[in-house]
Amino acid sequence: AAERVEDLDRARTFLRAVTALDHEHVEALRALVRLSDRAEDWSGAADARIRLAKSSTDGAERLELLLELGDLFDGRLGDAKRAEAAWRRVAQAAPNDPRPWDRLSRFYERSGEAAREVEARKVLLSRARTPADRAGHGLRLAALGRGALSDNALADEALKACAEDVRSGVDRNVRDVVALERLAAWQRLRGARDAERVVAAIAVTLGVASDELRALAPDGVVAGAGVESLLPAALDLLAPPALPPDLRELLVRTSTVLDPLVPFDAESRQADRLGSRPHGLRAEIDRWARMLDLGEVEIFLASQLPSIALPVGRSPARVLVAFAAPPSIVTRFAVARAPA
């Protein structure tokens, strides 16, 4: 009934009187929590939650109240120590609940307490339920190891722990901005700066909107990087499932021998050399040729192909492209796959 009173101050005064007479009147305390929130009386809201947490026999409710208390102290009331203490109590009472550790990790990140953040991130990494969560926590641990803590062993361990999860994000969606940024960060943290730039160039070439990646490769080109810089992570991103790394490596190493022995037969493919004529994918092919340091690529056109773009030679580089292949996300990815 008190919550229907228009004057929130009178309603809260009434509820305080009730709870003063009966310290364990949980319904009155719950109402006081709600009314204090409505009135934006954050000090009163925190006090009501503390009293309710002491009186409630519902364990789940007590944990929620402590989480909310931590949020109030951290945000509205600016009491960092009490916020930390509230979240720590939840972490102790519910060791499998990731929420207090998530709050603590962000709290320590803001306050610059690297060692304590590592503690929280390690817990979160071990209990993460999704690949994206594991990748995020692993990369943050690696960044702390390479940076504030100067602990390379920590960084290497974290990078190893999250490697598959970083890769899986790109496998699920090659144009996922966050996944590509994480792959680039993973390469950077392991010291592979060329590979980081190649990931950025792939993202730019595929039209992924990321200022962070575009700053690394503004025009989708990594000058002088060469095709070898695509090994292993970036190349695996592009390679067809039917072309495992060991088979591709064999084909690359033997291309100077195999190409002359089994030369591309344009006539049998009913293919026509493009030459200097325009084509919707010429600019895309030229961009990848520059990025991979392939020199000039010979482009052939055919009307019937099992794919949009097929590599048909490496020495010299040749690509077979479908006649009707207008620029699009799909055709651009096919072009990116062919020269790699």
Side-chain angles (χ1 to χ4, degrees):
E3 288 186 80
R4 292 194 293 269
V5 178
E6 293 297 326
D7 188 336
L8 289 178
D9 289 338
R10 288 175 56 199
R12 285 182 293 135
T13 298
F14 169 74
L15 289 170
R16 289 192 191 98
V18 172
T19 57
L21 294 172
D22 183 354
H23 298 291
E24 298 182 355
H25 195 310
V26 292
E27 290 303 326
L29 287 169
R30 287 172 185 147
L32 187 55
V33 167
R34 291 191 292 269
L35 288 180
S36 297
D37 287 348
R38 282 176 55 190
E40 299 184 358
D41 174 13
W42 305 122
S43 179
D47 180 68
R49 282 176 169 82
I50 292 170
R51 295 174 63 188
L52 179 56
K54 292 179 179 178
S55 301
S56 176
T57 58
D58 185 333
E61 181 182 37
R62 288 199 300 271
L63 292 179
E64 293 300 323
L65 288 165
L66 287 171
L67 279 173
E68 293 169 7
L69 268 173
D71 294 344
L72 276 175
F73 287 133
D74 184 44
R76 302 288 186 177
L77 299 175
D79 192 333
K81 291 299 182 184
R82 296 184 76 181
E84 180 186 10
W87 292 328
R88 284 278 180 183
R89 286 185 62 186
V90 178
Q92 184 177 13
N96 293 322
D97 190 336
R99 293 177 300 168
W101 290 108
D102 181 63
R103 286 164 164 82
L104 286 166
S105 69
R106 289 184 279 114
F107 172 77
Y108 293 136
E109 182 176 356
R110 292 196 309 271
S111 61
E113 298 177 74
R116 289 191 172 186
E117 185 187 347
V118 165
E119 175 199 10
R121 295 281 181 185
K122 282 185 173 180
V123 173
L124 289 168
L125 180 61
S126 67
R127 298 174 187 170
R129 297 170 183 172
T130 68
D133 286 343
R134 286 191 295 270
H137 296 311
L139 288 172
R140 178 59 187 166
L141 279 169
L144 288 167
R146 293 282 189 255
L149 295 178
S150 299
D151 187 341
N152 286 328
L154 168 67
D156 293 341
E157 180 183 356
L159 290 172
K160 182 178 179 181
C162 72
E164 288 303 315
D165 298 305
V166 171
R167 272 284 312 282
S168 70
V170 180
D171 290 342
R172 285 192 299 273
N173 181 0
V174 73
R175 299 185 72 253
D176 185 314
V177 176
V178 173
L180 285 166
E181 288 177 346
R182 283 178 170 172
L183 179 58
W186 187 83
Q187 298 287 13
R188 180 180 68 255
L189 288 165
R190 59 190 288 268
R193 300 308 294 261
D194 278 349
E196 177 196 17
R197 289 191 289 271
V198 168
V199 173
I202 290 171
V204 172
T205 299
L206 293 176
V208 174
S210 168
D211 292 340
E212 176 184 326
L213 297 176
R214 186 168 291 278
L216 293 168
D219 58 355
V221 174
V222 180
V227 70
E228 287 75 15
S229 61
L230 287 177
L231 296 172
L235 181 62
D236 288 347
L237 162 67
L238 291 170
L243 187 64
D246 53 352
L247 175 57
R248 183 200 173 278
E249 183 69 13
L250 175 63
L251 293 174
V252 169
R253 290 181 179 276
T254 58
S255 62
T256 56
V257 176
L258 291 178
D259 279 4
L261 289 176
V262 190
F264 169 61
D265 185 356
E267 185 176 348
S268 67
R269 283 280 192 173
Q270 297 182 330
D272 181 30
R273 189 190 302 271
L274 178 62
S276 60
R277 289 174 291 161
H279 188 276
L281 296 179
R282 177 187 284 279
E284 202 70 28
I285 293 170
D286 289 344
R287 180 187 297 186
W288 276 94
R290 290 196 309 273
M291 189 184 82
L292 301 179
D293 201 19
L294 295 176
E296 185 177 352
V297 177
E298 290 185 87
I299 304 172
F300 291 82
L301 302 179
S303 57
Q304 294 184 349
L305 285 179
S307 180
I308 295 168
L310 291 174
V312 292
R314 179 172 288 272
S315 302
R318 293 188 175 105
V319 176
L320 186 59
V321 180
F323 270 114
S328 69
I329 292 171
V330 174
T331 57
R332 292 175 73 190
F333 182 76
V335 166
R337 169 174 280 179

